[in-house]
Amino acid sequence: QVQLVESGGDSVQAGGSLRLSCAVSGSAWSTYCMKWFREVPGKGREGVATIQRDGTTDYKESVKGRFIISLDYDKNTLYLQMNDLKSEDTGKYACAASWLHCTVNDPREDYSGKGTQVTVSS
């Protein structure tokens, strides 16, 4: 079992920045691929970023150059640094862990958190 708890969501102006955190616990969690996805009203679920065990990352095209996914194994925490936020980045962001499926467009996962809300106003 892997447990995931997100934090850091907020309301910000367009152009601002936020850092989301995902506290991870459970057995062998560091062997999983870790992901961030978002639920967007009217659009459904979108993969945002993934990071593999070897540090390889993958991003949704529209966030490349603005978002950075990272892992701190010492702190058992997954991060998503979001810069130059746009109104279309609004959504409920959640982290997930997947044993096998690690591309940003693959929605399959083994565990996920409940999410944290990000609202970007223009």
Side-chain angles (χ1 to χ4, degrees), residues 11-16 84-90 118-122:
S11 296
V12 297
Q13 294 284 325
D84 189 23
L85 282 160
K86 305 177 186 299
S87 57
E88 53 263 40
D89 294 320
T90 294
V118 172
T119 303
V120 184
S121 56
S122 55

Side-chain angles (χ1 to χ4, degrees), residues 20-121:
L20 304 183
S21 299
C22 172
V24 190
S25 60
S27 59
W29 78 265
S30 62
T31 62
Y32 284 76
C33 166
M34 302 301 294
K35 303 182 172 188
W36 285 100
F37 65 91
R38 63 192 181 195
E39 298 279 356
V40 181
K43 289 187 177 181
R45 174 175 164 153
E46 300 180 337
V48 175
T50 65
I51 184 166
Q52 298 186 42
R53 295 179 284 275
D54 65 358
T56 301
T57 56
D58 190 20
Y59 293 93
K60 178 180 174 63
E61 191 64 33
S62 64
V63 309
K64 285 181 180 178
R66 300 189 296 121
F67 290 13
I68 301 171
I69 187 171
S70 62
L71 267 170
D72 187 329
Y73 288 107
D74 290 337
K75 295 183 178 179
N76 290 351
T77 304
L78 173 73
Y79 298 101
L80 185 68
Q81 177 67 44
M82 304 188 294
N83 301 317
D84 189 23
L85 282 160
K86 305 177 186 299
S87 57
E88 53 263 40
D89 294 320
T90 294
K92 189 173 187 179
Y93 285 70
C95 55
S98 174
W99 179 247
L100 288 176
H101 310 292
C102 207
T103 57
V104 71
N105 293 320
D106 189 336
R108 290 173 287 184
E109 65 198 29
D110 297 292
Y111 305 97
S112 63
K114 294 183 178 180
T116 184
Q117 180 66 35
V118 172
T119 303
V120 184
S121 56

